[in-house]
Amino acid sequence: MEMLGEQVRGWGVFGLTGLVGESLRDQLQPGDPLAWAVTRQAPAAGDRWQWIVGGLPGLADPPPVQAIASLGPLDAFTDWFEASSLAPRRLVVLGSTSRHGKADSPDPGERALAGRLADCEARLAACCEKRGCALTLLRPTLIWGRGRDRNLARWVALARRWRWLPLPRTAHGLRQPVHADDVAAAVLAALRAPEPVAGHFDLPGGETLAYDAMVARCLDAAAPGARLLRVPAPLFRLGLALAGRRGPGPGVVARLDRDLAYDGGPVRAALGLPARPFRPGPEDFPG
């Protein structure tokens, strides 16, 4: 195992070209010691760090660093890290509150996802304990912003197409969407902290609101003139049939009246983060 000595410095990051990674790049400061970043495609030249072109699994061990951050799929990173010989002082990884919210989903694929997330959390914790790494695991809620959202954007696309959008009258389940910039800020806070901040933290957004109110704000911002229609469940199912593949899956539908709200106090106390409300703009839903 490659143990870190005092001479080893810097951060290594996986997922720097994704949604959260894009935000993290914009928030980097000149003094941040980013040493290398793993990417599947070589970006344009000119960045001040080393790009390592490759993917998981199969990536050879990069140079040792003091901290590694993973912003991409937790399962692929967990498999790779277990097989690697690296032992950074701190490991900062993104999971998901889907580990909680999808555990009893009617969709078998979603239940399997929740199981994989829980398994990865346990494996990473065991691996870090064995290697002497401090693990900071962040579970964001629904991530939005930067025009790259793939969840709320589906509702906006349907509203733009039809000029109205049906939702069940019972779609009042609580949600806490978190902006991608705030997720990146949490990762950076964990990397910059004078001492490692070990723990498993849910990472909700700064505002809790009902599902239909969340969708209504999206339509106000990006589908002006479209109407939100609260309808009985049979009419909603008819709307889904008309939507075809553009509509949400059974797991999403089953959770519309279910509260998915988490305590953001621990992560904000540990990392000193602000609490941003949900205020989407037209730039968050391009097209």
Side-chain angles (χ1 to χ4, degrees):
M1 180 182 300
E2 182 69 48
M3 302 302 293
L4 287 180
E6 288 300 318
Q7 74 279 8
V8 177
R9 295 289 184 269
W11 306 337
V13 179
F14 290 79
L16 203 56
T17 57
L19 170 56
V20 176
E22 176 186 275
S23 178
L24 191 146
R25 290 170 67 182
D26 288 346
Q27 296 181 50
L28 284 172
Q29 299 174 0
D32 289 331
L34 182 57
W36 50 257
V38 175
T39 179
R40 290 185 178 275
Q41 295 181 345
D47 290 319
R48 56 188 172 85
W49 55 82
Q50 175 187 359
W51 287 97
I52 299 174
V53 180
L56 303 179
L59 180 72
D61 282 6
V65 285
Q66 282 188 326
I68 293 178
S70 170
L71 313 180
L74 185 62
D75 51 359
F77 177 79
T78 300
D79 290 343
W80 174 83
F81 188 72
E82 278 187 327
S84 78
S85 63
L86 298 179
R89 187 182 180 209
R90 67 184 78 186
L91 187 67
V92 183
V93 300
L94 294 185
S96 172
T97 52
S98 293
R99 180 235 195 278
H100 310 306
K102 296 182 179 179
D104 58 353
S105 171
D107 185 332
E110 290 189 344
R111 291 197 304 273
L113 170 63
R116 288 197 305 275
L117 289 170
D119 177 65
C120 288
E121 288 188 12
R123 288 163 56 197
L124 277 178
C127 189
C128 285
E129 182 177 5
K130 181 178 179 181
R131 301 186 191 183
C133 309
L135 173 62
T136 306
L137 189 141
L138 303 170
R139 303 186 192 104
T141 53
L142 191 158
I143 301 177
W144 65 283
R146 291 185 163 257
R148 298 177 62 177
D149 162 68
R150 295 182 181 180
N151 295 294
L152 297 173
R154 292 180 299 183
W155 295 121
V156 172
L158 288 174
R160 287 170 171 170
R161 179 184 179 188
W162 295 343
R163 308 309 301 163
W164 55 272
L165 181 70
L167 278 182
R169 291 171 178 164
T170 56
H172 302 312
L174 298 180
R175 295 296 186 271
Q176 300 162 307
V178 59
H179 198 282
D181 290 355
D182 294 339
V183 179
V187 173
L188 284 170
L191 290 171
R192 292 168 177 161
E195 295 296 327
V197 181
H200 294 198
F201 302 97
D202 293 330
L203 181 58
E207 183 175 6
T208 302
L209 68 168
Y211 196 98
D212 56 351
M214 177 180 68
V215 173
R217 288 190 191 178
C218 296
L219 301 194
D220 288 343
R227 297 177 57 196
L228 182 61
L229 301 180
R230 295 166 176 83
V231 300
L235 287 180
F236 182 68
R237 288 194 292 270
L238 174 61
L240 290 183
L242 293 173
R245 292 186 177 182
R246 291 173 177 257
V252 174
V253 175
R255 290 188 294 275
L256 293 180
D257 61 351
R258 179 180 170 189
D259 291 345
L260 299 179
Y262 305 94
D263 184 5
V267 72
R268 294 191 175 100
L271 298 176
L273 302 171
R276 178 192 308 224
F278 182 61
R279 297 288 187 272
E283 70 279 1
D284 293 310
F285 306 99

